[in-house]
């Protein structure tokens, strides 16, 4: 509520400024509370350092952005440095806290809140409309926000989809399921036709630590990890809905998965190619990777979004991805915002969708996926999405492996669904409330 | 490096008095001031280097541990004294004690395994012919030079649930219960695999050092023992162990320090399988608290406790070693 009032006041001030020439000249025409974020004039000079992650975008996209930027600001030199994901969190923490901080950074979107809370990121609330906030995918937008202020600009996203073996589906005479109940029936049919777990065939392959894959089951039933109640986070893993989702997944895993109950998902796309898996969840890029790596297998690969409880709505997918942010200690924040503006514009996003194969930050750019069934299925999944609790403390929940530990205990049978969720729930609430 | 330092003390009985005699006695009295300060001046560069490289981080670590130092405090420069809150928080945290206990058991098991296997390898090296010994030595050196991350990946794949060589071999041997057996699922099992990787990595240094010590023992001692009717086991206990005692103590001390700080092997295996919260060691706990938990104060406090525990062990070992060298 407070945020809205503040925004009203700000708007009123802008209106006042516009009508009063005296104020107008005093403010230098800028409406932004932070003058450093105002659009620099075309003759601005300087250098801009941009940190993007290696593998996030093809080089052509960076070149296209730089070309547009050069046209606007011919006297500014842009250096784009590609960072590796491994260890980047520590590197970002240190560099953004130094006097030579980069001007634009790409951040994994579950970490934006942490960096924003630490005071490392510029508050971009004043320029977010200008950056196109109204066209961002609703699933990607919340990650960059903390306490009503905007710190991260959605760059791109990715979801988990279900890969299935088309040949096996044909043999079993089943169609792509449209509800979770149907998915279970399909698995049962596959087991009947192709063989059960004991024979080494896995109708639905699901390794125990795969929490990105498990979340949609919780969300589909209406459950969640935690919800904010005033200033307090309340864990909701122990809710009836969350437990229903996990029980459903446990039944699937118990009956149909040959995956290690304490394994991770990194080999899913390889196991799938062994031709004794019916369905497996994996990242949106995995089907393309399978086809690229195994031409003989290409015709068998099909993709669908994980269905929901009802046929009219798919299960909410975990919408991971990256945000772009401007470090508070950058010395050219105005130019940085301009660069971000170009990278997140619809035409560049369309190019990114097409050439990079990621889910762009706006539905308008989905056109870049035309002709690619795998990516269109991913777009479909992304339309119904959800996100982990947006809290600066969320990183601790991940670091402490609370969710994977819970899942491993459930699937390996060392704890019941009730006990494991109760334990994880306490931990999550404890961590999020600091 | 430490091997070189220790060698003179272990070259059998004649060495120590001679070695002591060859060190020139420091000049005493009667000289000018310049020569008295000269040794200190010569020590100065090394002292400065140590102060910067070792001293500063320790001072900073202790400072952090006594302050409220969340990430935000580091960014905004608002670190502030918090009345030992970091220490009271970690010491009253059941997780910390579980992690500390787990680490001590893990380190002890690794040290014992390393020392026993290292000694066996050293004795084997002493008995082998030249060619085989050379091959074994080279293999040991290669194992030693393998980076921890690479080695851990190899161990992880050996014990992989689906594709692991170990499961495959066990199933082939008729133990079909190991089909798709997860070696990382049970915490003790994960730590055993990690411990195997740790011991494997530490063995070369321990074995080669012990072997070097063994070659310095006069063979006539064993001949005499044999004539008196001593069994090999008796000879080992009465000759090899006492003669190598200072080296054994030093290696045990080093192994304790290394194994107490193990990070990589367990951390990587946690990504591959198992239950993370039940397999954390103290170094991983400190790291997660600091860098993922953004609480550098508490992370530093855990590290300080770690240093204190290790210092306790080190004092024990150093005193023991001094006694052994003197006797």
């Amino acid at each position: 509520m407070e945020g809205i009032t503040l925004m009203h006041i700000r708007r009123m001030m802008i209106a006042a400024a516009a009508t009063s020439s005296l104020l107008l000249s005093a403010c230098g025409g800028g409406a932004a509370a932070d003058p450093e974020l105002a659009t620099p004039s075309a003759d601005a000079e300087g250098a801009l350092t941009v940190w993007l992650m290696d593998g996030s975008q093809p080089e052509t996209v960076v070149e296209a952005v730089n070309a547009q930027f050069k046209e606007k600001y011919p006297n500014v030199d842009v250096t784009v440095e590609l960072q590796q994901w491994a260890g980047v969190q520590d590197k970002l923490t240190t560099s953004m806290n130094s006097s030579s901080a980069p001007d634009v950074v790409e951040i994994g979107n579950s970490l934006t809140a942490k960096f924003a809370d630490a005071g490392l990121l510029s508050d971009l609330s004043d320029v977010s409309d200008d950056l196109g906030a109204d066209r961002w995918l609703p699933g990607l937008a919340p990650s960059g926000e903390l306490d009503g202020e905007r710190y991260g600009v959605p760059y791109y996203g990715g979801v988990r989809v279900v890969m299935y073996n088309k040949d096996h589906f044909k043999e079993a005479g089943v169609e792509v399921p449209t509800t979770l109940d149907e998915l279970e029936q399909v698995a049962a049919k596959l087991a009947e036709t192709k063989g059960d777990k004991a024979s080494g065939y896995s109708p639905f392959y699901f390794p125990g630590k795969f929490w990105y894959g498990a979340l949609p089951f919780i969300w589909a039933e209406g459950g969640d990890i935690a919800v904010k109640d005033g200033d307090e986070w309340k864990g909701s893993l122990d809710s009836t809905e969350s437990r229903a989702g996990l029980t459903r997944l446990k039944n699937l895993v118990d009956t149909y998965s040959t995956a290690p109950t304490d394994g991770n998902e990194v080999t899913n796309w390889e196991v799938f190619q062994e031709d004794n898996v019916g369905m497996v969840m994996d990242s949106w890029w995995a089907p393309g990777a399978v086809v690229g790596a195994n031409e003989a297998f290409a015709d068998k690969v099909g993709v669908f979004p994980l269905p929901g409880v009802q046929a009219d709505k798919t299960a909410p997918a975990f919408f991971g991805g990256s945000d772009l942010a401007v470090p508070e200690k950058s010395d050219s924040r105005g130019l940085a915002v301009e660069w971000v503006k170009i990278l997140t514009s619809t035409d560049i996003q369309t190019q990114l969708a097409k050439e990079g194969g990621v889910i762009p930050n706006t539905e308008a750019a989905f056109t870049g996926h035309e002709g690619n069934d795998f990516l269109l299925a991913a777009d479909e999944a992304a339309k119904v999405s959800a996100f982990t609790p947006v809290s600066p403390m969320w990183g601790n929940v991940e670091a402490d492996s609370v969710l994977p530990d819970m899942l491993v205990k459930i699937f390996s049978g060392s704890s019941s669904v009730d006990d494991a969720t109760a334990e994880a729930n306490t931990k999550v609430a404890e961590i999020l409330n600091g | 490096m430490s091997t070189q330092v220790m060698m003179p003390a272990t070259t059998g009985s004649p060495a120590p008095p001679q070695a002591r005699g060859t060190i020139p006695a420091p000049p005493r009295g009667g000289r000018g001031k310049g020569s008295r300060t000269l040794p200190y001046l010569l020590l100065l560069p090394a002292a400065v280097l140590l102060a910067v490289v070792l001293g500063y981080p320790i001072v900073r670590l202790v400072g952090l541990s006594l302050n409220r130092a969340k990430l935000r405090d580091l960014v905004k420069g608002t670190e502030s004294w918090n009345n030992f809150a970091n220490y009271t928080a970690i010491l009253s945290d059941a997780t910390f004690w579980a992690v500390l206990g787990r680490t001590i058991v893990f380190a002890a098991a690794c040290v014992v395994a390393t020392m026993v296997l290292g000694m066996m390898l050293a004795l084997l090296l002493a008995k082998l012919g030249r060619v085989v010994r050379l091959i074994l030595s080279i293999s040991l050196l290669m194992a030693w030079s393998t980076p921890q991350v690479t080695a851990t990946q190899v161990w992880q794949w050996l014990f992989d649930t689906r594709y692991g060589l170990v499961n495959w071999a066990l199933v082939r041997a008729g133990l079909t219960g190991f089909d798709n057996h997860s070696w990382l699922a049970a915490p003790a099992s994960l730590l055993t695999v990690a411990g195997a990787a740790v011991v494997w990595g530490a063995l070369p240094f321990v074995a080669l050092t012990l072997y070097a010590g063994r070659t310095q023992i006069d063979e006539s001692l064993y001949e005499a023992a044999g004539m008196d009717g001593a069994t090999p086991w008796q000879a080992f206990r009465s000759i090899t162990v006492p003669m190598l005692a200072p080296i054994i103590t030093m290696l045990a001390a080093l192994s304790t320090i290394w194994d107490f700080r193990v990070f990589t092997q367990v951390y990587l295996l946690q990504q591959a399988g198992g239950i993370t919260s039940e397999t954390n060691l103290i170094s991983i706990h400190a790291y997660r608290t600091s860098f993922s938990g953004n609480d550098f104060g508490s992370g530093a406090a855990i590290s300080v406790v770690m240093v204190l525990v290790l210092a306790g062990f080190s004092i024990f070992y150093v005193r023991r070693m001094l006694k052994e060298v003197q006797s």
Side-chain angles (χ1 to χ4, degrees):
Chain A
M1 285 299 107
E2 208 175 311
I4 291 173
T5 351
L6 264 173
M7 221 155 83
H8 276 294
I9 294 171
R10 204 173 276 153
R11 292 234 169 93
M12 278 155 58
M13 279 173 63
I14 295 166
T19 48
S20 157
S21 59
L22 193 77
L23 260 176
L24 199 81
S25 57
C27 291
D34 193 342
E36 277 186 48
L37 292 178
T39 311
S41 59
D43 59 359
E45 288 180 20
L48 205 63
T49 308
V50 177
W51 280 20
L52 296 179
M53 300 311 300
D54 191 24
S56 279
Q57 61 284 308
E59 225 177 297
T60 46
V61 168
V62 176
E63 282 162 10
V65 174
N66 280 343
Q68 284 191 31
F69 187 82
K70 198 89 202 166
E71 230 166 80
K72 242 173 146 179
Y73 297 103
N75 302 324
V76 178
D77 288 324
V78 181
T79 318
V80 175
E81 292 171 10
L82 296 183
Q83 307 294 324
Q84 301 301 320
W85 281 105
V88 75
Q89 200 180 332
D90 299 344
K91 197 171 173 185
L92 278 169
T93 310
T94 339
S95 63
M96 287 202 287
N97 195 23
S98 74
S99 54
S100 57
D103 304 298
V104 176
V105 291
E106 176 186 344
I107 305 175
N109 62 3
S110 61
L111 290 172
T112 312
K114 166 185 163 167
F115 288 127
D117 180 68
L120 288 167
L121 306 181
S122 300
D123 181 351
L124 301 177
S125 306
D126 292 321
V127 290
S128 75
D129 285 345
D130 208 18
L131 284 160
D134 55 337
R135 61 169 187 264
W136 296 335
L137 291 178
L140 278 181
S143 72
E145 222 172 15
L146 185 69
D147 300 330
E149 305 291 344
R150 167 68 48 190
Y151 295 94
V153 178
Y155 178 19
Y156 67 88
V159 290
R160 305 321 173 269
V161 291
V162 185
M163 279 193 284
Y164 70 101
N165 190 309
K166 285 180 175 173
D167 287 2
H168 297 180
F169 269 46
K170 211 173 283 170
E171 280 174 57
V174 288
E175 298 289 326
V176 168
T178 56
T179 64
L180 284 172
D181 285 339
E182 276 183 36
L183 185 125
E184 282 174 64
Q185 291 154 15
V186 168
K189 265 277 170 48
L190 284 169
E192 229 170 78
T193 328
K194 299 292 296 178
D196 57 7
K197 252 174 91 164
S199 72
Y201 182 79
S202 194
F204 183 79
Y205 185 91
F206 196 97
K209 280 186 191 245
F210 191 15
W211 62 282
Y212 291 138
L215 288 176
F217 284 84
I218 294 176
W219 286 326
E221 304 277 355
D224 208 340
I225 303 168
V227 284
K228 203 162 190 182
D229 184 14
D231 281 343
E232 283 278 290
W233 283 97
K234 276 195 62 183
S236 48
L237 286 168
D238 64 345
S239 65
T240 323
E241 294 84 4
S242 298
R243 283 176 173 166
L246 286 168
T247 307
R248 183 195 287 276
L249 180 57
K250 179 175 170 56
N251 289 338
L252 276 170
V253 169
D254 282 354
T255 327
Y256 303 115
S257 172
T258 59
T261 52
D262 69 328
N264 64 29
E265 68 274 19
V266 295
T267 54
N268 277 11
W269 70 291
E270 286 166 322
V271 175
F272 182 61
Q273 296 172 49
E274 286 173 16
D275 209 20
N276 50 19
V277 165
M279 297 178 276
V280 60
M281 289 180 77
D282 209 335
S283 294
W284 81 102
W285 50 258
V290 171
V291 170
N294 191 343
E295 215 173 295
F297 200 76
D299 287 342
K300 301 185 178 187
V301 186
V303 177
F304 60 86
L306 185 75
V309 176
Q310 305 289 337
D312 58 349
K313 195 179 155 206
T314 55
F318 170 72
F319 211 164
S322 279
D323 283 339
L324 295 164
V326 178
E328 179 81 18
K329 294 194 177 175
S330 146
D331 49 14
S332 341
R333 296 192 292 157
L335 289 167
V337 169
E338 290 308 303
W339 201 87
V340 170
K341 207 180 283 176
I342 299 174
L343 181 56
T344 55
S345 66
T346 304
D347 61 326
I348 293 289
Q349 286 284 315
T350 312
Q351 187 186 351
L352 180 68
K354 192 178 165 79
E355 293 168 13
V358 294
I359 299 175
N361 72 0
T362 172
E363 206 169 323
F366 283 4
T367 49
H369 288 165
E370 266 165 25
N372 186 327
D373 289 345
F374 298 157
L375 293 177
L376 289 174
D379 291 340
E380 203 53 39
K383 281 181 190 164
V384 186
S385 66
F387 201 63
T388 48
V390 179
S391 151
M393 304 304 285
W394 174 253
N396 298 18
V397 180
E398 285 193 19
D400 285 351
S401 297
V402 178
L403 296 179
D405 280 4
M406 173 189 82
L407 294 171
V408 170
K409 286 178 188 176
I410 291 176
F411 299 141
S412 66
S414 70
S415 280
S416 66
V417 171
D418 284 2
D419 290 349
T421 48
E423 188 195 355
N425 204 55
T426 316
K427 271 194 204 165
V428 167
E430 212 173 85
I431 295 174
L432 290 182
N433 292 319
Chain B
M1 22 114 227
S2 319
T3 349
Q4 299 299 336
V5 180
M6 285 311 298
M7 269 318 114
T10 60
T11 47
S13 39
Q18 278 174 10
R20 218 172 280 151
T22 55
I23 298 170
R28 279 171 202 277
R31 300 264 183 103
K33 265 184 187 168
S35 61
R36 204 178 295 167
T37 51
L38 184 64
Y40 294 104
L41 280 176
L42 291 175
L43 279 175
L44 198 64
V48 168
L49 197 70
L50 282 177
V52 172
V53 177
L54 291 176
Y56 175 74
I58 289 178
V59 169
R60 180 83 176 116
L61 182 75
V62 174
L64 273 178
S65 76
L66 293 170
N67 281 308
R68 192 194 66 184
K70 307 260 183 185
L71 178 57
R72 192 181 173 83
D73 298 315
L74 295 188
V75 172
K76 299 287 181 194
T78 53
E79 286 171 50
S80 59
W81 169 262
N82 66 353
N83 224 354
F84 297 102
N86 296 329
Y87 287 97
T88 47
I90 60 161
L91 295 180
S92 61
D93 180 8
T95 313
F96 170 78
W97 292 105
V99 165
L100 183 63
R102 188 182 299 132
T103 309
I104 290 174
V105 172
F106 176 81
C110 287
V111 171
V112 170
T114 309
M115 295 308 296
V116 170
L117 292 172
M119 179 61 90
M120 286 162 72
L121 267 177
L123 297 179
L124 183 66
L125 278 169
K127 292 279 177 231
L128 290 172
R130 273 183 67 184
V131 178
V132 185
R133 179 161 65 218
L134 189 70
I135 294 173
L136 185 54
S137 304
I138 291 173
S139 312
L140 283 171
L141 282 174
M142 277 162 70
W144 195 15
S145 59
T146 309
Q148 283 182 354
V149 175
T150 320
T152 309
Q153 303 280 23
V154 173
W155 279 89
Q156 181 205 315
W157 278 107
L158 283 176
F159 285 92
D160 187 77
T161 308
R162 286 178 69 89
Y163 306 109
L165 185 70
V166 174
N167 280 352
W168 178 83
L170 287 170
V171 170
R172 280 294 164 99
L175 300 165
T176 48
F178 283 98
D179 187 29
N180 258 339
H181 174 74
S182 172
W183 288 92
L184 306 182
S189 182
L190 184 146
L191 289 173
T192 307
V193 175
V198 170
V199 171
W200 178 84
L203 267 185
F205 176 70
V206 171
L208 292 173
T209 309
L210 284 172
Y211 167 67
R214 172 65 184 75
T215 57
Q216 300 300 307
I217 301 177
D218 200 335
E219 282 305 318
S220 62
L221 288 172
Y222 292 98
E223 282 163 22
M227 295 231 248
D228 290 342
T231 62
W233 172 245
Q234 281 172 326
F236 171 73
R237 277 189 49 192
S238 318
I239 302 172
T240 317
V241 173
M243 295 293 253
L244 294 183
I247 301 190
I248 293 174
T249 309
M250 178 203 68
L251 289 173
L254 287 175
S255 296
T256 306
I257 293 172
W258 290 332
D259 294 347
F260 196 76
R261 300 184 315 181
V262 162
F263 181 93
T264 318
Q265 291 89 346
V266 175
Y267 188 82
L268 287 179
L269 289 178
Q270 285 177 335
Q271 321 289 318
I275 297 172
T276 304
S277 61
E278 290 170 16
T279 48
N280 278 336
L281 298 182
I282 193 159
S283 53
I284 301 177
H285 187 54
Y287 171 79
R288 290 194 203 277
T289 306
S290 291
F291 290 95
S292 314
N294 309 334
D295 189 349
F296 294 88
S298 296
I302 296 170
S303 306
V304 169
V305 173
M306 222 175 125
V307 170
L308 290 177
V309 172
L310 278 179
F313 282 125
S314 303
I315 289 170
F316 165 77
Y317 280 121
V318 168
R319 287 181 56 174
R320 210 190 134 100
M321 202 150 66
L322 288 176
K323 239 188 262 168
E324 277 158 359
V325 172
Q326 272 160 14
S327 63

